[in-house]
Amino acid sequence: MTGAFSPSATSDGALDSVVTREWGEAAKAVARAEQPLASLPEAEARSPHQVAVALAARRSARAIRSGFVETQAEAVYAHLTDGLTVPLRIAEVVEAAAQAFPRLVPDERQLAADRARAQAGKEGHEIDQGILLQGLLRAPSAGQHLLETMLRPTQRALGLLPDFRRRGIADLGSVRVERRGLAAHLTMCRDDCLNAEDNQQVEDMETAVDLALLDPDVRVGVLRGGTMTHQRYRGRRVFSSGINLKSLHAGDISLVDFLLRRELGYISKLVRGIASDESKQWPPGPVHKPWVAAVDTFAIGGGAQLLLVFDHIIAASDSYISLPAAQEGIIPGAANFRLTRIVGPRIARRMILQGERIHATDPEARLLVDEVVDPEVVHEAILASVERLAQPAVLPNRLMLNRTEEPLEDFRRYMAEFALEQAHRLYSSDVMHKVGRFSAVKKA
């Protein structure tokens, strides 16, 4: 863990004593509720009766955890962050909670065992993380502090910044960043998998966004997909095919490091900018910049979610946008929070609930993109957009638009419910059935 957390460090010893003592009693009840699990085989080998026994035990234990978190979330978070003085990122919060409140969330041993299993064979410990994070995000002080902490630049970005400022280029693996004139051009370059996102790409994207925001020579950020080597799209640019389903089925997509970090980290920074203690600017506030997205071929799933936070979107005339999350069995990030405002309730429901594709040449596309151009002139359209958005008055107007359209408080409440609902979806019977079939096909 990178923070300065120590479970014994407290700002109010009496309060900490109460909350840890209360959890001590609750943890005993959790242990009793989960006792039947000790005699069961691993999840993949359980009979239908044993599956029912495990489910009943988990539900009983989770009811105890939920009751505790519902009443003690602020105190728990204050304990973990030394009275809101230690900034812990979301992964550090759950790690610290596992140390300070045993049995409240899974410990590293339980997580490591689950990481070694395919999704269909996991125990579902991430649901317990979802219970904690729902409670913390619901709690006004804790939730706001956590969201603001997630807007800080990553240590990786801070370490790379001097070299990026000097050279104007950074190759992060799945994302390349290059400063050209007034713009930082971020290119997603997972050419083998059509820019499908996994844990590593979330890490690289947040680093790339941080670099663009931290470099004072950058006025505008640009995001575009690179040229693919994938057989079907070889030689073509692709924006994004969304979540990496192969990684999801293999159990390599995590609730904390992918699904939540993605929303609270780099996507939130695209909207709100970076909160940095290093900033000496006046008036105080986030370091934020306008962003341009260029859609080549398609923006599917997570790619479509990304578009909902950009200031200007250019789409090639042969591209399309879709949100097939309902068919995949999961929730499409914060799209449920943002899409209705952008396209209206009817189109939002068709896209999210039925997976309807919106082609760039469809009339409805004008609600999702700002320009539709021939594929050959996307680059020229990007340059023209950068020039417009680099104007000085863009920043204050952008700030006021974003504060009006997406208040942090509304986002906090949405993400609180998302944290647990998405965790449930990862381990729901329909998703498990789908990933099990996928694994069987792969083995065959």
Side-chain angles (χ1 to χ4, degrees), residues 236-405:
R236 295 181 60 182
R237 284 184 180 267
V238 166
F239 188 73
S240 172
S241 59
I243 191 171
N244 190 314
L245 292 175
K246 182 178 179 181
S247 294
L248 173 63
H249 300 149
D252 295 331
I253 295 293
S254 66
L255 175 70
V256 169
D257 290 323
F258 182 94
L259 294 163
L260 289 171
R261 177 182 177 177
R262 182 175 185 271
E263 298 297 334
L264 303 182
Y266 85 85
I267 297 181
S268 191
K269 288 174 177 177
L270 290 172
V271 178
R272 297 173 183 84
I274 278 182
S276 175
D277 289 340
E278 306 300 322
S279 176
K280 303 299 182 182
Q281 64 181 5
W282 181 260
V287 179
H288 71 105
K289 294 168 185 178
W291 287 88
V292 179
V295 180
D296 298 280
T297 310
F298 50 68
I300 299 174
Q305 297 166 31
L306 276 177
L307 299 181
L308 304 181
V309 302
F310 277 77
D311 300 291
H312 191 81
I313 300 168
I314 300 159
S317 58
D318 59 351
S319 66
Y320 69 86
I321 300 168
S322 69
L323 278 166
Q327 287 71 46
E328 295 164 355
I330 58 176
I331 298 169
N336 309 62
F337 174 63
R338 297 180 174 120
L339 190 61
T340 297
R341 168 174 54 81
I342 293 170
V343 302
R346 302 318 322 157
I347 297 176
R349 277 169 169 74
R350 295 204 303 271
M351 290 185 69
I352 292 174
L353 304 182
Q354 301 177 55
E356 180 176 316
R357 287 185 180 183
I358 305 295
H359 293 268
T361 52
D362 292 342
E364 296 89 342
R366 297 301 296 169
L367 298 171
L368 284 166
V369 305
D370 301 289
E371 290 185 74
V372 178
V373 302
D374 289 339
E376 295 79 11
V377 298
V378 170
H379 178 67
E380 288 74 11
I382 290 172
L383 296 180
S385 178
V386 167
E387 185 175 351
R388 291 193 300 270
L389 290 176
Q391 299 302 312
V394 166
L395 277 183
N397 282 288
R398 177 187 188 272
L399 180 68
M400 298 308 293
L401 283 168
N402 285 344
R403 284 178 174 173
T404 300
E405 293 175 351

Side-chain angles (χ1 to χ4, degrees), residues 119 122 174 188-202 228 230 239-254 258-259 262 266 298 300-303 305 324-325 328 330-331 422 426 431 435 438-439 442:
Q119 190 67 22
K122 291 180 184 289
S174 62
M188 296 178 286
C189 49
R190 293 291 298 276
D191 55 293
D192 59 326
C193 62
L194 306 177
N195 287 326
E197 280 191 284
D198 54 17
N199 285 17
Q200 185 58 51
Q201 187 153 341
V202 168
M228 299 292 105
H230 187 282
F239 188 73
S240 172
S241 59
I243 191 171
N244 190 314
L245 292 175
K246 182 178 179 181
S247 294
L248 173 63
H249 300 149
D252 295 331
I253 295 293
S254 66
F258 182 94
L259 294 163
R262 182 175 185 271
Y266 85 85
F298 50 68
I300 299 174
Q305 297 166 31
E328 295 164 355
I330 58 176
I331 298 169
Q422 189 72 295
L426 285 177
V431 171
V435 301
F438 181 90
S439 299
K442 285 291 182 182

Side-chain angles (χ1 to χ4, degrees), residues 30-60:
V30 168
R32 290 192 295 270
E34 291 184 334
Q35 186 60 40
L37 297 171
S39 61
L40 297 178
E42 292 193 359
E44 288 180 309
R46 290 171 190 164
S47 67
H49 171 70
Q50 290 170 329
V51 169
V53 170
L55 182 60
R58 295 285 188 206
R59 283 177 172 168
S60 296

